[in-house]
Amino acid sequence: MSSRSLRKLRGERVQEPLSLPVEQRQGQEEENDEEQEDEEPLELELPPVRKQRRRKRPKAAAGDPQPAQLNEVNVENDETLEEHPTDEPSSINVTLKDSLTEEDDQTEATLDAENEEPETKNDELENKPDTLQTNSSNKPKRKKKKKKNRNNTPADAQESVADDIDSILREIQGPNEFHHQSHSHSTETRPLMYVEHRNLNPETELKRYFGARAVLGEQRLRQRHRQMHRSTWLITPKDGWPRYTKTGISMQLLETKGGAQYFTFEHSRDYQQAQFKFLDAVNSMDPNNILALLHVNPHHIDSLLQLSDICRMQEDQEMARDLIEKAIYCFESAFHPAFSLTSGKSRLDYRRPENRSFFLALYRHMMFLEKRGCPRTALEFCKLIRGLDPETEPLCALLMVDFMALRAREYSFLIRLYEEWKFHLNLSQLPNFAFSVPLAYYYISQRENLSDIERTQNIERANCLIQNALIVFPSVLMQLLDKCSVQADQAVLSHKFFGYEVQIRQPSALKQLVALFVGRNWMLWKDAGIITWLEENVKEVLRRVDAKDPLVESENKRNRYQNVPRNIYRHIILSEIKEAIATLPPEVTAQPVMGYDPLPPLDGIITYTRPERVNQAAGGNTLSLFFRSLLPNFNLQEDRRQQVEGEGAEEQHELNQGVNRLMAAMRDMLANIRFQEPPQEEYQDGDGEGDGEWD
């Protein structure tokens, strides 16, 4: 019996050479026929080996001229098998480890290998390619057996396994399918002010505009040497920032009411001491003191906000933006585990001073993003600011959400916001919504993928809304055209409905809202097509006014906008729009406005107070009190505050009045002092009487 048949009887795999001479091939086929008659059970395992050989043949032909060499090696291996029929099986069993061979065969193979003579080593080296091929052929055979086992399973078991696999795939693909839905479907199912994490990163928007390679630049090369920072959603930490440590700020959950969770930031004792030093630095009117405080406490929030305002006034926009981002990063690192940015159920009370800095940092970061050219990210931050305290609206996010939506081309979001909230929030009474919503309809009507019916419906809706806005707010037209440098038609200028008398007669509160809208949104109306569309509707409004339209008559009788809430004043100050700031009343402009806390609410919740200073000037003389009064932060009432009881109260009051009169007289005296300038002599040329020297 040949070595090949012995190997088949022992349960080992046999791989035939890829190409053999015709004589050897015929002889081998005759041997295989004889072996198939004697060994019928092995006939089932031969077809998978032949199929595997056919699949590997094109791979070998696609590469280098290696198949020919392998064929020669296989021929030599067959010849050596015939020469050494007894030594070859032991060598193969040593190199192959198949899980199908039995333990008895393995023990016999190991004994044969120990008794093998040194002369068979050369043959074993020659047979290594064959062993490699047999090793590679093990895997397909095992896979084939697994397929046989699957085919042998009952149909019920197959259905149950298929159901389990389908359920697992549905669980895995469930959240992913939600992200791949269409935009219209997602906007209908999600909440109106839903905040998406991916839209909070400005790099996501910049990549959409310019590509990932242009935005990232050399950041990928620096990632190996990059410091490890906490993973955040609002801000991406920069490499130059100091490593985050305990800043003294923490967040606590106060209560859960009405399905919303109310949180608050808290300051540690060390942070409170740093806050007191910051107040002293602000009173000193010296920015270097704030810088010195930041060197000691690099994560002090109010110092970062105040220094950012100073840098912005000095036109250092990059440093100002970096300081704001660092402040937001400090806040986000202190978030409570249950605080969520996207759920819309997490609340922060603006009345608490610890929370105000977070609102202000988000607002200024939003404005920097809009100027940077990331309006979609700025819109997401605007929704976040509004969702933190929707009951009181401390920063009046609704006065700017329309501008952000138009800049980001989120017209459907703006229309949906107006349709859902126009009744319970009276959005139609705000000039920004009255003019921005028809502009959104106009932009939608200009899309190319709309049908004629849809385009007609959108343009008719836009015309109806813009005409109503011009009737309700006639003072907007002339200010908007002046800002856009457009000369109005003579028919419009001569008509009293849009004349300057309307601007004079309107209430101060409405004047502030109109100035705020025009100063912020005028750039969106400069397009020639929009101006033409506006002109057509102005002419239609004049026709309706002359025809005494009922809407015009009813609007003339209304008397609205009597009182302005404090949060609108705060929003106008933060917006820094000159036209709107000029309309503020004197009681607002007279009081000092600090960048770290502009117009704090009157009903604020104070958790800790600044300790009173030791009154050192109470027992001092009048002269020392006078010199201390020259300081900009001097306040006599606070400096001389004492708990006086009994009969000494009247004497103390008289003394304070006397000191006030004395200081007022001395200040008047110093103000009236005039110094005489030294006389200047005129030098005459040609007269040699004097050399121009001083006497």
Side-chain angles (χ1 to χ4, degrees), residues 321-354:
R321 186 178 63 189
D322 186 76
L323 293 171
I324 293 297
E325 291 178 356
K326 193 179 298 182
I328 298 177
Y329 174 72
C330 295
F331 273 120
E332 189 173 4
S333 301
F335 278 175
H336 192 275
F339 186 82
S340 175
L341 297 171
T342 60
S343 64
K345 302 296 183 181
S346 299
R347 301 284 186 266
L348 286 174
D349 194 351
Y350 190 82
R351 295 177 299 173
R352 296 180 177 270
E354 296 87 349

Side-chain angles (χ1 to χ4, degrees), residues 622-669:
T622 306
L623 185 62
S624 64
L625 184 62
F626 166 71
F627 284 113
R628 294 186 68 251
S629 67
L630 299 178
L631 297 175
N633 59 346
F634 176 76
N635 191 341
L636 180 64
Q637 301 300 328
E638 294 182 0
D639 203 45
R640 298 184 61 86
R641 186 181 299 160
Q642 294 180 354
Q643 299 294 334
V644 182
E645 299 178 358
E647 299 177 356
E650 297 180 359
E651 298 178 358
Q652 185 68 28
H653 181 66
E654 294 178 359
L655 179 61
N656 291 340
Q657 290 181 350
V659 172
N660 289 334
R661 288 193 296 268
L662 178 60
M663 288 190 298
M666 295 184 71
R667 284 174 178 169
D668 293 338
M669 181 184 67

Side-chain angles (χ1 to χ4, degrees), residues 15 73 162 212 321 369:
Q15 184 172 3
V73 173
R321 186 178 63 189
L369 288 172

Side-chain angles (χ1 to χ4, degrees), residues 207-271:
K207 290 176 184 177
R208 193 183 310 126
Y209 296 152
F210 308 106
R213 182 173 298 179
V215 174
L216 297 178
E218 297 180 356
Q219 291 182 5
R220 297 177 180 177
L221 300 177
R222 300 175 186 173
Q223 287 180 355
R224 295 183 179 179
H225 306 285
R226 184 178 178 179
Q227 296 182 6
M228 297 301 296
H229 294 278
R230 301 169 66 99
S231 59
T232 54
W233 288 108
L234 298 177
I235 295 297
T236 302
K238 299 181 180 179
D239 297 337
W241 290 0
R243 185 179 294 274
Y244 176 80
T245 56
K246 292 184 178 180
T247 59
I249 302 178
S250 59
M251 179 181 278
Q252 300 296 331
L253 176 61
L254 295 179
E255 59 178 350
T256 302
K257 181 175 61 177
Q261 295 177 327
Y262 291 84
F263 296 86
T264 183
F265 288 102
E266 292 183 351
H267 295 168
S268 63
R269 291 186 178 273
D270 294 338
Y271 193 92

Side-chain angles (χ1 to χ4, degrees), residues 104-353:
D104 297 337
D105 296 336
Q106 291 180 356
T107 53
E108 293 178 2
T110 52
L111 291 176
D112 294 338
E114 292 177 356
N115 298 328
E116 185 179 9
E117 296 180 356
E119 296 178 354
T120 59
K121 291 183 179 180
N122 296 329
D123 297 335
E124 186 177 353
L125 292 174
E126 294 177 354
N127 294 331
K128 280 186 178 180
D130 193 13
T131 58
L132 291 175
Q133 292 179 1
T134 53
N135 283 329
S136 63
S137 64
N138 289 337
K139 296 180 181 179
K141 188 172 182 180
R142 292 178 183 174
K143 291 182 181 178
K144 188 66 177 179
K145 288 189 176 182
K146 290 181 180 179
K147 292 180 181 179
K148 290 180 180 180
N149 293 332
R150 291 196 189 101
N151 295 330
N152 294 332
T153 55
D156 297 338
Q158 283 187 352
E159 293 178 357
S160 61
V161 172
D163 294 339
D164 294 338
I165 294 174
D166 293 338
S167 60
I168 293 172
L169 290 176
R170 281 194 296 269
E171 293 177 359
I172 295 174
Q173 296 177 358
N176 295 331
E177 289 177 354
F178 183 74
H179 292 291
H180 291 288
Q181 288 176 350
S182 62
H183 179 70
S184 60
H185 181 69
S186 61
T187 54
E188 294 177 358
T189 56
R190 291 179 179 176
L192 181 60
M193 304 299 286
Y194 179 79
V195 178
E196 297 186 38
H197 278 147
R198 62 185 182 89
N199 289 332
L200 292 173
N201 189 358
E203 292 184 357
T204 303
E205 187 172 3
L206 293 176
K207 290 176 184 177
R208 193 183 310 126
Y209 296 152
F210 308 106
R213 182 173 298 179
V215 174
L216 297 178
E218 297 180 356
Q219 291 182 5
R220 297 177 180 177
L221 300 177
R222 300 175 186 173
Q223 287 180 355
R224 295 183 179 179
H225 306 285
R226 184 178 178 179
Q227 296 182 6
M228 297 301 296
H229 294 278
R230 301 169 66 99
S231 59
T232 54
W233 288 108
L234 298 177
I235 295 297
T236 302
K238 299 181 180 179
D239 297 337
W241 290 0
R243 185 179 294 274
Y244 176 80
T245 56
K246 292 184 178 180
T247 59
I249 302 178
S250 59
M251 179 181 278
Q252 300 296 331
L253 176 61
L254 295 179
E255 59 178 350
T256 302
K257 181 175 61 177
Q261 295 177 327
Y262 291 84
F263 296 86
T264 183
F265 288 102
E266 292 183 351
H267 295 168
S268 63
R269 291 186 178 273
D270 294 338
Y271 193 92
Q272 293 177 11
Q273 296 298 324
Q275 185 72 12
F276 299 151
K277 294 178 182 179
F278 166 75
L279 296 177
D280 295 338
V282 171
N283 293 333
S284 66
M285 302 295 178
D286 188 2
N288 294 324
N289 295 334
I290 301 178
L291 284 174
L293 179 61
L294 278 177
H295 283 299
V296 181
N297 301 283
H299 301 291
H300 187 259
I301 303 299
D302 289 346
S303 298
L304 294 172
L305 297 180
Q306 191 71 23
L307 191 61
S308 175
D309 286 347
I310 296 173
C311 294
R312 188 165 45 81
M313 293 176 184
Q314 296 177 356
E315 297 184 357
D316 191 356
Q317 301 293 332
E318 187 67 25
M319 178 59 68
R321 186 178 63 189
D322 186 76
L323 293 171
I324 293 297
E325 291 178 356
K326 193 179 298 182
I328 298 177
Y329 174 72
C330 295
F331 273 120
E332 189 173 4
S333 301
F335 278 175
H336 192 275
F339 186 82
S340 175
L341 297 171
T342 60
S343 64
K345 302 296 183 181
S346 299
R347 301 284 186 266
L348 286 174
D349 194 351
Y350 190 82
R351 295 177 299 173
R352 296 180 177 270

